[in-house]
Amino acid sequence: MPHLAVQPPALPVFSTDQPDTGVRLHRVICVGRNYAEHAREMGNDPEREPPFFFFKPASAVVPSGTTIPYPPATDNLHHEAELAVLVGTGGAEIAPQAALSHVWGLAAANDLTRRDLQAEAKQMRRPWDMAKGFDNSAVLGRLHRGVDLAGDRSIRCRVDDVLRQDAPLSAMIWPVEEIIAHVSRLLTLQPGDLILTGTPAGVGPLARGQTCTVEIDGFDPATVTLA
Ligand code: MN
């Protein structure tokens, strides 16, 4: 019987606002280009094309408050402030009207990106994995259960004390319900899937020693410091 000589490390458990409830993540599914102004700043046409997706490994997620080393193989690490949606009930071909019933909770998150590797991958028509899915590349704030997104909230990113990103969540081209509908036509969503819903305009570089904080009104922040 073949066996693994080494057990993979257990994934960390991420904290929630529910007492004694922790969450183990299954996959991280990220949406590209979901705010028009960010699509424009990246040189793309923000017409309402169907959303596209990429993965990060669940092992890339670190909890808010972590200090991480400046990642290798890049001179241009960028922050991307994003709303994270945790799937609680899986499913395929989920209708938009039913989508929110599959959501366990929401959090602030940071989709850290090696922008130089991403630009090279785009130019050479190569995959984005090494630009997006590197160690410690997703920072996750505390997951809040039962949040109503009907009242509009703002998402912001601060680097030290400088405001870099600031937009209403309603500026998303594809709202949460439609993202879930789209991705569940491509995959069977599973409990523990975490969807990062795209970033607004204002992405930019992070330097060693800086602290980057993603804030969403009413949520705990997602903070990371670069050693
Ligand atoms: Mn992103």
Side-chain angles (χ1 to χ4, degrees):
M1 196 77 158
H3 63 277
L4 285 172
V6 178
Q7 289 294 320
L11 292 172
V13 175
F14 294 91
S15 61
T16 77
D17 63 4
Q18 304 292 295
D20 303 322
T21 300
V23 169
R24 263 186 227 285
L25 303 179
H26 179 245
R27 295 177 286 200
V28 182
I29 304 163
C30 303
V31 183
R33 272 170 230 155
N34 200 25
Y35 291 79
E37 288 302 319
H38 174 62
R40 286 189 199 100
E41 79 178 345
M42 299 302 289
N44 298 297
D45 180 352
E47 293 217 357
R48 205 167 185 259
E49 293 176 353
F52 68 92
F53 303 94
F54 58 90
F55 286 116
K56 292 176 187 252
S59 59
V61 181
V62 295
S64 178
T66 305
T67 296
I68 64 170
Y70 191 91
T74 184
D75 296 314
N76 197 17
L77 178 72
H78 273 205
H79 56 80
E80 294 192 355
E82 309 208 2
L83 170 70
V85 177
L86 180 72
V87 174
T89 306
E93 301 192 22
I94 298 167
Q97 306 90 300
L100 294 183
S101 70
H102 291 258
V103 173
W104 190 93
L106 305 171
N110 197 338
D111 168 17
L112 295 174
T113 301
R114 294 194 282 210
R115 193 70 72 199
D116 41 4
L117 296 194
Q118 187 194 31
E120 183 181 280
K122 286 178 178 175
Q123 188 189 357
M124 300 185 78
R125 299 178 175 236
R126 287 178 177 169
W128 288 9
D129 300 52
M130 293 300 124
K132 288 289 197 177
F134 53 95
D135 299 343
N136 310 315
S137 61
V139 185
L140 181 63
R142 180 188 297 266
L143 286 147
H144 298 277
R145 187 155 204 190
V147 181
D148 184 1
L149 282 177
D152 201 11
R153 295 166 191 262
S154 284
I155 183 167
R156 292 174 296 280
C157 182
R158 292 180 204 281
V159 178
D160 294 332
D161 290 326
V162 178
L163 184 66
R164 293 271 192 92
Q165 294 180 274
D166 186 4
L169 290 176
S170 60
M172 286 196 279
I173 296 170
W174 297 96
V176 170
E177 297 92 323
E178 297 203 64
I179 291 169
I180 289 172
H182 272 277
V183 74
S184 72
R185 290 202 284 268
L186 297 164
L187 304 167
T188 299
L189 285 172
Q190 307 277 349
D193 283 340
L194 186 74
I195 304 172
L196 302 190
T197 58
T199 197
V203 300
L206 295 170
R208 288 177 179 82
Q210 288 184 321
T211 294
C212 183
T213 302
V214 176
E215 305 167 348
I216 297 176
D217 292 334
F219 291 21
D220 285 11
T223 296
V224 67
T225 299
L226 292 156

